[in-house]
């Protein structure tokens, strides 16, 4: 059964959201020597920024990619959805694969002027995102400040690229194909045109910080358990946020599944109205927490 156009576009946007929410990925190039390209693949983790719909990649000056791409510009780039803090350990214990995207294309080195322009984009992004975090409301700061697992925001991880132009070569990654890889290892090809026109929503820059802030808070984790009862009619003993977007969020919950056995299962909760930004998302989450508690009280006769 073929996917509908709306489904294809939604998948393309998921890919763009993943790219916009992360700041590092695995770059793969073909090993080269004085005689030309070999068939062996060289891989290393690099930092990047999504700019004008394309990844701009910062490669350390001594990295072999700089030599390889002189001979052969072809490359692939794999980027996972961020799984900060305790969520990463949980997924490993479940032997669950990370949702990720795999891009193929060509890497094009930037000249000095374009490198300065790309670096300036990083500077503006860092200032803008840090300002939003500092100026966030009580609801927003309460969630964002709960993130304690190192640097979890995109801006915190890319700030080191500033004023270090001499230590990096900067490349534009021209995408020719995109593959979405789900948590079960299934591959879903994304039309290059759909990928090119898709735009990320406004949450991805704060995705990792939101996820970690919720999952590191005992109070909010208990609220997720209440969500399972109030909105999903599920009896849960634990829960984690798995991913967030403007339309809602996915979570992993340890729910009663036959007899007295508990199993981790994935659930989706959708907002009645989309969240326009990180502030709106946090406000909607707080409102849902209050509504869930009211429903539990009503059901228990305490309301």
């Amino acid at each position: 059964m073929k996917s509908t156009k709306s489904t294809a576009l939604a998948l393309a946007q998921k890919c763009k959201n993943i790219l916009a929410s992360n700041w590092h990925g695995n770059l793969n190039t073909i090993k080269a020597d004085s005689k030309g390209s070999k068939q062996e693949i060289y891989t290393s983790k690099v930092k990047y920024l999504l700019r004008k719909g394309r990844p701009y990649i910062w490669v350390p000056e001594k990295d072999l990619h700089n030599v390889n791409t002189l001979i052969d510009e072809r490359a692939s780039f794999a980027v996972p959805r961020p799984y900060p803090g305790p969520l990463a350990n949980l997924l490993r214990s479940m032997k669950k694969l990370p949702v990720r995207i795999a891009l193929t294309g060509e890497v094009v080195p930037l000249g000095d002027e374009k490198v300065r322009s790309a670096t300036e984009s990083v500077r503006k992004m860092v200032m803008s995102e840090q300002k939003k975090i500092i100026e966030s409301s009580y609801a927003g700061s309460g969630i964002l400040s709960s993130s304690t697992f190192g640097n979890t925001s995109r801006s915190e991880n890319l700030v080191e690229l500033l004023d270090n132009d001499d230590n990096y070569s900067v490349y534009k990654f021209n995408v020719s194909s995109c593959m979405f890889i789900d948590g079960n290892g299934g591959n879903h090809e994304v039309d290059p045109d759909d990928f090119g026109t898709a735009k990320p929503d406004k949450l991805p820059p704060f995705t990792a910080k939101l996820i970690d802030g919720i999952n590191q808070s005992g109070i909010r984790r208990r609220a997720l358990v209440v969500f399972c009862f109030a909105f999903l009619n599920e009896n849960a003993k634990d829960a984690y946020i798995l991913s967030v977007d403007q339309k809602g969020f996915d979570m992993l919950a340890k729910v009663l599944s036959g007899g007295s056995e508990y199993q981790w299962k994935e659930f989706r909760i959708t907002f009645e109205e989309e969240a326009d930004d990180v502030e709106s998302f946090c406000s909607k989450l707080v409102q849902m927490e209050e509504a869930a508690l009211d429903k539990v009280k009503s059901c228990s006769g305490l309301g």
Side-chain angles (χ1 to χ4, degrees), residues 126-142 144-145 206 209 277-280 282-283:
V126 168
M127 293 177 63
S128 175
E129 292 182 10
Q130 291 183 348
K131 181 180 179 181
K132 286 182 180 179
I133 292 173
I134 292 171
E135 296 180 349
S136 59
S137 67
Y138 177 77
S141 62
L144 296 172
S145 64
F206 307 95
K209 207 164 184 66
D277 52 27
V278 65
E279 277 290 322
S280 178
C282 292
S283 295

Side-chain angles (χ1 to χ4, degrees), residues 98-205:
V99 171
R100 59 201 185 279
I101 63 171
L103 306 175
T104 62
E106 295 182 344
V107 287
V108 179
L110 301 186
D112 291 344
E113 186 63 33
K114 290 187 176 180
V115 167
R116 285 190 287 271
S117 176
T119 303
E120 185 60 27
S121 292
V122 175
R123 191 183 307 279
K124 290 179 180 179
M125 177 275 296
V126 168
M127 293 177 63
S128 175
E129 292 182 10
Q130 291 183 348
K131 181 180 179 181
K132 286 182 180 179
I133 292 173
I134 292 171
E135 296 180 349
S136 59
S137 67
Y138 177 77
S141 62
I143 294 175
L144 296 172
S145 64
S146 296
S147 178
T148 59
F149 190 76
N151 296 333
T152 53
S153 74
R154 185 175 66 165
S155 59
E156 290 169 332
N157 282 275
L158 293 182
V159 69
E160 71 174 46
L161 299 179
L162 301 176
D163 304 320
N164 284 306
D165 291 351
D166 294 339
N167 298 325
Y168 295 91
S169 296
V170 186
Y171 297 86
K172 177 174 66 173
F173 193 102
N174 289 329
V175 178
S176 59
S177 72
C178 175
M179 189 75 71
F180 177 85
I181 305 169
D182 62 36
N184 297 316
N187 295 334
H188 308 270
E189 188 172 356
V190 178
D191 186 279
D193 291 336
D194 292 339
F195 177 82
T197 57
K199 295 182 180 180
D201 61 37
K202 296 179 181 179
L203 287 183

Side-chain angles (χ1 to χ4, degrees), residues 26-76:
N26 289 321
L27 179 64
N28 309 289
T29 56
I30 301 172
K31 286 186 178 180
D33 59 20
S34 59
K35 296 179 181 180
S37 298
K38 297 180 178 180
Q39 296 305 310
E40 298 176 19
I41 301 298
Y42 170 71
T43 302
S44 72
K45 184 176 288 187
V46 295
K47 294 190 175 183
Y48 73 94
L49 175 69
L50 185 67
R51 181 175 183 240
K52 297 180 180 179
R54 292 190 182 96
Y56 281 68
I57 298 172
W58 274 254
V59 177
E61 60 180 349
K62 294 182 180 180
D63 197 296
L64 288 178
H65 291 306
N66 296 311
V67 176
N68 295 342
T69 54
L70 287 174
I71 307 298
D72 196 326
E73 295 180 341
R74 291 176 299 170
S76 63

